[in-house]
Amino acid sequence: MTTAAGRMHSAARADVLDVERVRADFPALHQTVHGQPLVYLDNAATTQKPRQVIEALDRYYRSDNANVHRGVHALSERATAAYEAAREKVREFLNAQSAQEIVFVRGTTEAINLVAQSWGRTNLRPDDEVVITETEHHSNIVPWQMLCGQTGAQLRVVPVEDNGVLSAERYAQILGRRTRLVAVAHCSNALGTINPVKRMISQAHEVGALVMVDGAQAVAHLSVDVRDLDCDFYAFSGHKLYGPTGIGVLYAKRALLQEMPPYQGGGEMVKHVSFDRTSYLDPPLRFEAGTPDIAGAIGLGAAIDYVDALGSEAIGRHERELLMQATAAISRIPGLRIIGTAPEKTGILSFVLDGVHAHDVGTILDMQGVAVRVGHHCAMPVMQRYGVPATARASFALYNTREEVDALVAGIYRAKEVFG
Ligand code: C6P
């Protein structure tokens, strides 16, 4: 594919990523921390931003800054065109049928809450069931619990096997005529498992249920095609895709959005307002009350151009190689247990070290310049399932190198020396 961005950037040639060229695009990577070169392995929490994204934000605020869908003046028209062009980029990125199926939100969390409160409160009745899994992030648990509390619906939970794979057998058993919605992560943030969402969606559809996919940990690593998946809702956050914080996306099939009531009320989501009666705009603007994160959407568009130019094949291959290298090296460390050993994983490596608390591992790694996340990763039920209070988690991105994996491994040996 030759996009404008593809012509601008040639750090990916066919299926090979030129990591040094890629790294040159990310200013934050070129710093020292505690006197050591930064090794940023906390990409599942948030990714660093390429200059192309930073420059898009800068350009917008320097020359086009205006509110959208409101003004007739030139700046407002430019801002509106750029905001809507970003929506079209998201549409193409997800292969959605129409840009009207793309709602800009703050992030994955807001997208899930929107579906729970708008679709869920309208459609769920007592004794209906919402199915989630034991591996979900709190963002894909709590909104459904709240919804169940409001409607009397029941929450059902699909368990996970020891290796981090969801139990296909239990999933098939739990699905039934009461199931109205399945909410599942495309990839687990705590274990790295890539869930077989296409199959899960088709099984859910067979019993007449809809499916919401939490794509927060997927879009930066896999190619996502919402039409091929046939998901009803798909959510992701811009900041995990090399874009800005504060912007994210809800994809929903058009027919569903059309029937859904607004999530919030305010300016720019209405056709007509009087004190007797208010009528609403069509989707997606019906769900974008108030001034949106215009710069964020434009920055997200630039991030999509960036990853598109490199290609998801090349990115995925590079990250899989790093994961394999890191998994092999840390598996040899005595007393280390990897939490999450599914055959299909993204570049996420969660582990515990005998006799050393995950926070101590994190602190020692930080002293070596290596940034990982430690704790429950907003997935407390996963920690309970594996009987650990916390894990240390390294997560890889397109700009990480083999040498950085070596630094991670050396840092873990150092933590063993200090605390072992
Ligand atoms: N996980 C992590 O370190 P927001 O905060 O709305 O951008 O994304 C929430 C979210 C939802 N689902 C999954 C699978 C996620 O991983 C996250 C965010 C980060 O794992 C921060 S807690």
Side-chain angles (χ1 to χ4, degrees):
M1 181 182 59
T2 315
T3 60
R7 283 189 296 274
M8 269 161 28
H9 203 296
S10 55
R13 206 182 57 259
D15 51 3
V16 183
L17 210 59
D18 181 345
V19 180
E20 283 316 311
R21 281 198 64 177
V22 167
R23 288 180 71 81
D25 289 332
F26 289 81
L29 295 178
H30 307 283
Q31 59 179 299
T32 55
V33 170
H34 305 305
Q36 306 283 342
L38 170 65
V39 174
Y40 187 78
L41 299 179
D42 194 16
N43 296 289
T46 199
T47 51
Q48 299 301 338
K49 317 304 172 201
R51 64 178 167 75
Q52 289 83 342
V53 168
I54 299 166
E55 284 165 9
L57 297 173
D58 186 72
R59 217 169 24 247
Y60 166 73
Y61 279 125
R62 280 177 192 278
S63 62
D64 297 336
N65 177 50
N67 215 322
V68 289
H69 304 131
R70 287 162 168 83
V72 292
H73 60 80
L75 264 60
S76 177
E77 281 177 3
R78 287 209 305 259
T80 304
Y83 181 72
E84 291 304 327
R87 197 190 305 276
E88 173 57 23
K89 280 180 193 175
V90 175
R91 184 208 64 73
E92 202 180 330
F93 181 65
L94 295 178
N95 195 30
Q97 189 144 30
S98 154
Q100 290 170 325
E101 299 176 315
I102 306 299
V103 180
F104 282 124
V105 289
R106 276 195 302 129
T108 308
T109 304
E110 186 171 52
I112 297 172
N113 277 280
L114 190 163
V115 173
Q117 291 303 309
S118 171
W119 180 86
R121 282 186 89 157
T122 314
N123 288 286
L124 289 199
R125 303 282 167 266
D127 297 329
D128 284 347
E129 292 179 353
V130 174
V131 174
I132 59 171
T133 87
E134 204 173 12
T135 63
E136 299 309 313
H137 185 279
H138 297 164
S139 292
N140 205 23
I141 301 174
V142 184
W144 306 116
Q145 277 176 330
M146 291 164 60
L147 175 66
C148 287
Q150 290 156 345
T151 59
Q154 307 294 313
L155 198 62
R156 303 287 307 273
V157 182
V158 181
V160 64
E161 311 282 3
D162 288 347
N163 64 357
V165 174
L166 294 174
S167 167
E169 197 184 337
R170 290 291 294 129
Y171 178 60
Q173 286 165 354
I174 286 172
L175 285 181
R177 59 184 180 78
R178 290 187 172 171
T179 316
R180 299 300 310 281
L181 182 99
V182 174
V184 60
H186 200 161
C187 304
S188 154
N189 71 315
L191 305 172
T193 310
I194 303 174
N195 290 318
V197 287
K198 187 169 174 179
R199 194 183 70 220
M200 293 175 77
I201 291 163
S202 120
Q203 286 174 275
H205 285 171
E206 274 171 30
V207 298
L210 300 185
V211 181
M212 160 127 226
V213 180
D214 168 353
Q217 296 296 346
V219 287
H221 313 288
L222 311 173
S223 150
V224 174
D225 180 333
V226 290
R227 271 192 277 178
D228 179 56
L229 290 176
D230 196 24
C231 54
D232 302 287
F233 303 104
Y234 195 98
F236 74 89
S237 303
H239 69 97
K240 294 187 201 286
L241 182 66
Y242 312 99
T245 51
I247 187 76
V249 167
L250 170 67
Y251 157 82
K253 283 181 181 164
R254 193 169 164 187
L256 289 169
L257 277 184
Q258 203 73 47
E259 295 301 315
M260 282 162 53
Y263 170 55
Q264 294 177 331
E268 281 310 298
M269 46 77 74
V270 289
K271 272 186 193 149
H272 176 82
V273 177
S274 74
F275 290 117
D276 302 325
R277 204 180 150 271
T278 290
S279 55
Y280 307 118
L281 287 175
D282 283 335
L285 296 188
R286 183 191 300 168
F287 300 100
E288 295 180 5
T291 301
D293 184 354
I294 304 160
I298 292 167
L300 174 59
I304 287 175
D305 282 344
Y306 189 83
V307 294
D308 264 355
L310 297 178
S312 62
E313 281 293 310
I315 294 169
R317 184 170 297 113
H318 173 68
E319 292 174 350
R320 271 192 303 280
E321 281 169 13
L322 295 176
L323 178 68
M324 277 164 57
Q325 181 200 346
T327 305
I330 76 167
S331 299
R332 289 194 285 270
I333 300 177
L336 186 145
R337 175 157 72 109
I338 297 175
I339 308 290
T341 52
E344 296 286 324
K345 282 182 67 174
T346 53
I348 283 179
L349 201 48
S350 267
F351 59 91
V352 290
L353 202 51
D354 261 358
V356 190
H357 194 280
H359 283 86
D360 293 330
V361 175
T363 305
I364 295 286
L365 286 172
D366 181 49
M367 295 313 293
Q368 323 293 308
V370 181
V372 298
R373 183 168 174 190
V374 294
H376 52 64
H377 315 296
C378 300
M380 284 189 194
V382 177
M383 302 298 121
Q384 285 152 18
R385 163 64 178 80
Y386 290 92
V388 295
T391 73
R393 183 191 69 182
S395 49
F396 305 110
L398 52 81
Y399 41 61
N400 289 126
T401 65
R402 294 180 68 80
E403 293 70 31
E404 290 183 314
V405 171
D406 293 339
L408 167 71
V409 176
I412 301 171
Y413 276 110
R414 179 86 189 113
K416 260 180 82 72
E417 245 170 63
V418 175
F419 291 100

